[in-house]
Amino acid sequence: MTVVVGFIPTPVGFAALDAALAEARRRGGPLIVVNAVRDEDADDVRHARPDQLEIARERLRGAPVRVDVRQVHAEKDAADALIAAAAEERAELVVVGIQREREVARHILGTTAHRLLIDAPCDVLVV
């Protein structure tokens, strides 16, 4: 079954990528990797550059499941892009990472993770 992962080029994003690959293997794949970008936030560190997407592809090279790495434009936020990808792909699971070291993350989930937990059409794994 299909696994969708929200990817950002940070240690948190790579941890989510690793967890998503493990889940895709367990479920028989495929794995859809989504990096959501917004035009008005062009300098956002969560937007993967082409070389960072290639690092993600290289990390997944040789995976026993089909892998599709995408960069999509999100009109509102990353959660919308991940929810749309999950619905389109009929995903069984969406994986997203959160930054635990942030003070706020200890008390509440980030906006993207929170929206996914409420609105995703499938299960959500928060790493």
Side-chain angles (χ1 to χ4, degrees), residues 1-107:
M1 300 299 292
T2 302
V3 174
V4 172
V5 59
F7 173 71
I8 58 174
T10 66
V12 169
F14 281 102
L17 191 67
D18 292 343
L21 177 57
E23 285 294 327
R25 280 183 183 148
R26 189 174 74 78
R27 298 164 190 264
L31 174 60
I32 310 299
V33 180
V34 178
N35 176 246
V37 298
R38 290 181 41 175
D39 292 335
E40 59 269 13
D41 296 331
D43 296 328
D44 192 325
V45 296
R46 295 171 293 188
H47 296 185
R49 299 183 316 262
D51 62 309
Q52 293 169 320
L53 290 174
E54 187 54 37
I55 291 168
R57 284 185 187 95
E58 185 60 36
R59 192 173 188 134
L60 298 168
R61 199 169 315 282
V65 296
R66 180 176 63 83
V67 174
D68 181 10
V69 178
R70 307 173 183 173
Q71 189 167 57
V72 301
H73 290 274
E75 289 186 27
K76 292 182 181 177
D77 60 26
D80 289 329
L82 293 170
I83 290 166
E88 177 184 321
E89 296 293 335
R90 296 185 184 149
E92 184 177 61
L93 181 70
V94 174
V95 179
V96 65
I98 62 168
Q99 295 182 0
R100 287 184 209 64
E101 65 273 8
R102 287 188 174 170
E103 183 68 27
V104 174
R106 283 189 244 166
H107 302 290

